[in-house]
C-alpha cells in the first residue's frame, strides 16, 4: 500500500455537500494513515453536466476541510485516448456490441426477470441481433449506437473492507454512450489502474458498480484496487444525502468537518 495511492473523484456537476466532503475526508484519512499518497480526479465525462465553476468550488471546499493532494488533479475529459484504447481492447476480445435501444425500450426490457442478473439490468436485447438485423438498424437508426459490454452475466466477487464478501452477476453495461461520451464504469477502472490507486474508499451508493468495474479490470488485465465502501451521511429525516438534493456546505459545516478530521488525525499521531 505504501507505494499505491488513495483518491477522491468528484463529478463537477454541482457543489459538494457535507456528505461528499465527509467521504473525501474518510478516504484522505485512510490513505494518510497508511502513509499513502492521495490523488484527486475530476470525473467530468458528461460535458452537459460538468462546469468549471463547480470544480473550482469543490477544490476550495476540500481544502477548507483540510484535505490535500499530491499531484495536480487529472480530468477525465482530457483522457479520452485511454478509454478509447481500453474499449478497443475489449472489442478485440469480442466483448463489445452496438445497442440501439432507447431509454423506454431498455426500461421495458429490463422489467422481465433475467436469470442471475439484478433487477433493472439491461437484458442484452441487441446482443442477440443477427448481422442482417444489425445492418438494418444501422441503415434506419436516427443516431449512432451506444456500445455495450458483453458481460455474459459473469459472477464477480471481491472482499470489501467494510462489507466483507460481495458477489454479483454483471449485466451488459454501457461502455460508450450513443453521443460518444465514455461511461463511468469504463473510465473509472481505467483511471484507477493508470493512477496506481491501491485502495478506493468511496460511498456505499457505489457498491453495486464495483463488480462491473472489476470485470472490466479482469478482462483487460488491469491492476485491481482494494475497496472500502463507507456508509453515506443521512439527513435529519434519515435519508441519504445525494448530490442532486444536497445543499452546498455552510461555513459552519466546513469548520465542523475540519475539526473532526483534526481530532481523528491527532488520535493517529498519539497512537503511533
Ligand atoms: Zn439494445
Amino acid at each position: 500500500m505504501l507505494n499505491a495511492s488513495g483518491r477522491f473523484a468528484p463529478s463537477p456537476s454541482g457543489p459538494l455537500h457535507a456528505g461528499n466532503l465527509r467521504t473525501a475526508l474518510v478516504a484522505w484519512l485512510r490513505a494518510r494513515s497508511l502513509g499513502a499518497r492521495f490523488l484527486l480526479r475530476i470525473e467530468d465525462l458528461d460535458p452537459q453536466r460538468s462546469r468549471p465553476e463547480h470544480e473550482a468550488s469543490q477544490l476550495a471546499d476540500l481544502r477548507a476541510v483540510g484535505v490535500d493532494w499530491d499531484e495536480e488533479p487529472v480530468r477525465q475529459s482530457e483522457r479520452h485516448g485511454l478509454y478509447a484504447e481500453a474499449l478497443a481492447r475489449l472489442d478485440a476480445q469480442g466483448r463489445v456490441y452496438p445497442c440501439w435501444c432507447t431509454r423506454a425500450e431498455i426500461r421495458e426490457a429490463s422489467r422481465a426477470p433475467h436469470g442471475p442478473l439484478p433487477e433493472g439490468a439491461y437484458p442484452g436485447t441487441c446482443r442477440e441481433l443477427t448481422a442482417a438485423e444489425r445492418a438494418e438498424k444501422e441503415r434506419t437508426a436516427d443516431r449512432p449506437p451506444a456500445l455495450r459490454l458483453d458481460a455474459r452475466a459473469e459472477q464477480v466477487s471481491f472482499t470489501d473492507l467494510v462489507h466483507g464478501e460481495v458477489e454479483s452477476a454483471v449485466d451488459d453495461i454501457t461502455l460508450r454512450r450513443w453521443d460518444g461520451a465514455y461511461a463511468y464504469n469504463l473510465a473509472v477502472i481505467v483511471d484507477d489502474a493508470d493512477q496506481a490507486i491501491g485502495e478506493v474508499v468511496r460511498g456505499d451508493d457505489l457498491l453495486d458498480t464495483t463488480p462491473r468495474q472489476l470485470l472490466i479490470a479482469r478482462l483487460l488485465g488491469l491492476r485491481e484496487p482494494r475497496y472500502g465502501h463507507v456508509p453515506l451521511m443521512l439527513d435529519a429525516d434519515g435519508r441519504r444525502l445525494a448530490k442532486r438534493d444536497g445543499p452546498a456546505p455552510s461555513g459552519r459545516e466546513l469548520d465542523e468537518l475540519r475539526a473532526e478530521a483534526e481530532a481523528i488525525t491527532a488520535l493517529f499521531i498519539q497512537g503511533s
Side-chain angles (χ1 to χ4, degrees), residues 99-101 122 126:
C99 169
W100 285 272
C101 295
Y122 176 72
C126 290

Side-chain angles (χ1 to χ4, degrees), residues 1-263:
M1 182 65 195
L2 277 180
N3 295 316
S5 304
R7 51 87 154 172
F8 183 64
S11 311
S13 55
L16 295 173
H17 57 63
N20 304 135
L21 286 165
R22 181 175 154 277
T23 301
L25 270 175
V26 173
W28 176 82
L29 284 164
R30 168 78 180 168
R32 293 309 192 205
S33 73
L34 295 169
R37 287 150 47 81
F38 195 69
L39 304 179
L40 282 195
R41 180 164 76 230
I42 310 300
E43 300 205 326
D44 56 352
L45 284 173
D46 189 335
Q48 253 88 54
R49 298 179 60 221
S50 302
R51 297 274 182 278
E53 61 269 28
H54 293 316
E55 181 189 318
S57 80
Q58 291 181 342
L59 297 188
D61 286 349
L62 286 167
R63 286 193 194 96
V65 299
V67 169
D68 64 353
W69 46 93
D70 297 308
E71 280 176 22
E72 274 300 295
V74 301
R75 285 184 197 84
Q76 290 186 324
S77 60
E78 295 165 359
R79 296 161 69 81
H80 285 185
L82 280 175
Y83 314 140
E85 190 196 322
L87 185 63
R89 286 176 59 208
L90 291 169
D91 193 26
Q93 296 176 35
R95 288 291 198 145
V96 180
Y97 66 88
C99 169
W100 285 272
C101 295
T102 61
R103 260 170 209 270
E105 285 167 339
I106 292 167
R107 216 176 309 125
E108 190 54 38
S110 60
R111 275 206 196 116
H114 297 283
L117 293 179
E119 205 182 305
Y122 176 72
T125 320
C126 290
R127 187 183 52 225
E128 311 298 339
L129 294 178
T130 64
E133 286 167 333
R134 244 169 230 182
E136 174 67 11
K137 290 267 189 198
E138 226 141 64
R139 204 173 55 76
T140 55
D142 55 4
R143 62 178 199 193
L147 298 177
R148 285 188 182 271
L149 177 70
D150 182 356
R152 299 173 194 169
E154 280 190 33
Q155 290 286 336
V156 171
S157 61
F158 68 101
T159 306
D160 188 87
L161 294 165
V162 178
H163 295 259
E165 283 303 308
V166 175
E167 180 174 22
S168 79
V170 178
D171 60 332
D172 287 3
I173 49 170
T174 303
L175 298 170
R176 203 180 73 191
R177 296 192 326 205
W178 70 270
D179 63 3
Y182 289 97
Y184 171 77
N185 288 300
L186 175 69
V188 158
I189 194 65
V190 167
D191 284 335
D192 283 336
D194 182 68
Q195 293 188 284
I197 302 300
E199 203 173 88
V200 173
V201 174
R202 59 186 179 187
D204 61 11
D205 54 330
L206 291 168
L207 183 64
D208 290 348
T209 72
T210 305
R212 297 161 160 182
Q213 291 151 38
L214 282 173
L215 177 59
I216 294 173
R218 288 170 194 179
L219 290 170
L220 293 176
L222 301 178
R223 157 197 193 127
E224 296 176 24
R226 291 197 299 168
Y227 291 91
H229 290 85
V230 298
L232 296 183
M233 207 157 134
L234 305 179
D235 69 10
D237 300 321
R239 289 175 313 196
R240 291 169 155 211
L241 283 179
K243 189 182 291 166
R244 63 185 68 84
D245 53 32
S250 64
R252 207 184 108 202
E253 280 176 317
L254 292 176
D255 289 344
E256 282 173 5
L257 282 164
R258 188 188 180 100
E260 205 178 315
E262 279 169 0

